[in-house]
Amino acid sequence: MKFQIVNCVELGFGKSQKRREEKERVKMSRVRPILSKGLKAVEDLNLLKILHSEINHELSSNRFQGNQGGPLEGFEVEYDAPQSQDVVLRKKCESGEEVAVSALLGPETYAREGVYPRGVLMKVCVRKPGLSSILQFDCAVTEEQSSSEFYIQNAYYLQSSSCPRPSAYRGPIFCTLDPQLQDSLNEYLLARGIGEKLTNFLLLHLHKKELDQYVNWLRTLVSLVEKDS
């Protein structure tokens, strides 16, 4: 009889222990989502603070401020979509020539105080009236002290505006040309409005455009995080 009583006590104790463990598991299963949600809310709050701080910094830094005044030298903006990285300008000269300029920011360079962090990659296409052939110039625009300059990297003759075959000969490597010929081609572009006023505009406009896109991207993240919260 004593053995049976001991077994009953042990059995009752075991059942009681299992009930407590089961209650603890149920409790933790309810608490875990609450803790996880609370932790996520804290993380989201920290992320929102950082995002708002970054937005305020970009808007208050007054970087890339200046009087753009619109593209000069007779050029008009043909394409400048808010989500695109490039801008396209076009002009028609008195001679009937058409000049088209497409530009976007180049790779980031070593940024000095007060200097644009990136240069501009610029293509200039010149078409004579009545002809389908095009002269194309690949140029780099850089800031030089308080001004800007462009440098021709390649000069191509294209028989038409359609994309040539990869194997088609476009012209020699520009830096291998006679220096006088290089200077003459540079003057050729200057005479068609590819000068300091235009390159200054491109540097400022494209950097400001990228900044606006970055701030809009940050605001989109803010909206997504706030909605998710």
Side-chain angles (χ1 to χ4, degrees):
M1 179 65 71
K2 182 178 180 180
F3 175 74
Q4 291 179 348
I5 293 175
V6 171
N7 281 345
C8 289
V9 171
E10 290 178 348
L11 182 61
F13 176 79
K15 291 182 178 180
S16 177
Q17 180 67 20
K18 287 182 179 180
R19 283 196 296 270
R20 285 197 296 271
E21 290 177 354
E22 183 64 26
K23 287 181 180 179
E24 188 66 23
R25 282 195 292 269
V26 172
K27 180 180 178 182
M28 289 305 299
S29 67
R30 294 175 179 174
V31 170
R32 282 196 192 98
I34 298 174
L35 292 176
S36 177
K37 188 174 181 180
L39 180 60
K40 181 178 180 299
V42 172
E43 292 173 346
D44 288 353
L45 182 60
N46 289 335
L47 177 57
L48 285 171
K49 287 181 179 179
I50 294 173
L51 288 172
H52 283 298
S53 176
E54 181 69 8
I55 291 172
N56 292 334
H57 169 73
E58 294 295 340
L59 294 178
S60 62
S61 62
N62 292 323
R63 292 191 302 160
F64 317 134
Q65 297 300 312
N67 181 21
Q68 289 181 260
L72 303 172
E73 306 295 346
F75 284 95
E76 295 183 358
V77 175
E78 181 177 85
Y79 177 82
D80 189 21
Q83 299 303 320
S84 72
Q85 299 182 59
D86 62 337
V87 60
V88 178
L89 304 92
R90 190 180 296 273
K91 71 177 288 188
K92 192 166 186 177
C93 304
E94 293 181 359
S95 63
E97 284 182 331
E98 291 184 52
V99 182
V101 175
S102 64
L104 50 75
L105 290 178
E108 189 167 349
T109 58
Y110 178 72
R112 305 188 306 273
E113 186 67 26
V115 176
Y116 290 113
R118 300 170 69 179
V120 168
L121 303 178
M122 176 177 70
K123 288 186 181 294
V124 181
C125 294
V126 181
R127 185 188 339 230
K128 295 285 186 179
L131 298 178
S132 61
S133 57
I134 292 174
L135 281 177
Q136 177 182 307
F137 299 87
D138 294 345
C139 307
V141 178
T142 59
E143 184 178 8
E144 301 293 337
Q145 296 179 353
S146 59
S147 183
S148 63
E149 293 185 12
F150 74 90
Y151 302 91
I152 300 176
Q153 296 177 320
N154 293 296
Y156 302 132
Y157 168 76
L158 306 178
Q159 291 186 344
S160 69
S161 57
S162 60
C163 184
R165 298 192 310 273
S167 60
Y169 177 76
R170 300 188 183 188
I173 299 174
F174 188 79
C175 64
T176 64
L177 295 176
D178 183 274
Q180 289 187 338
L181 180 53
Q182 294 184 40
D183 292 341
S184 296
L185 289 172
N186 192 76
E187 292 294 331
Y188 180 85
L189 291 184
L190 285 171
R192 285 153 181 79
I194 311 300
E196 181 181 340
K197 291 181 180 179
L198 178 64
T199 54
N200 284 347
F201 165 80
L202 291 175
L203 276 168
L204 175 60
H205 179 76
L206 289 172
H207 276 91
K208 188 176 185 304
K209 180 176 183 176
E210 184 188 50
L211 175 61
D212 291 341
Q213 291 172 337
Y214 176 53
V215 171
N216 288 336
W217 178 78
L218 290 172
R219 286 171 172 162
T220 300
L221 290 186
V222 169
S223 299
L224 288 174
V225 174
E226 287 179 338
K227 182 178 181 181
D228 189 46
S229 300

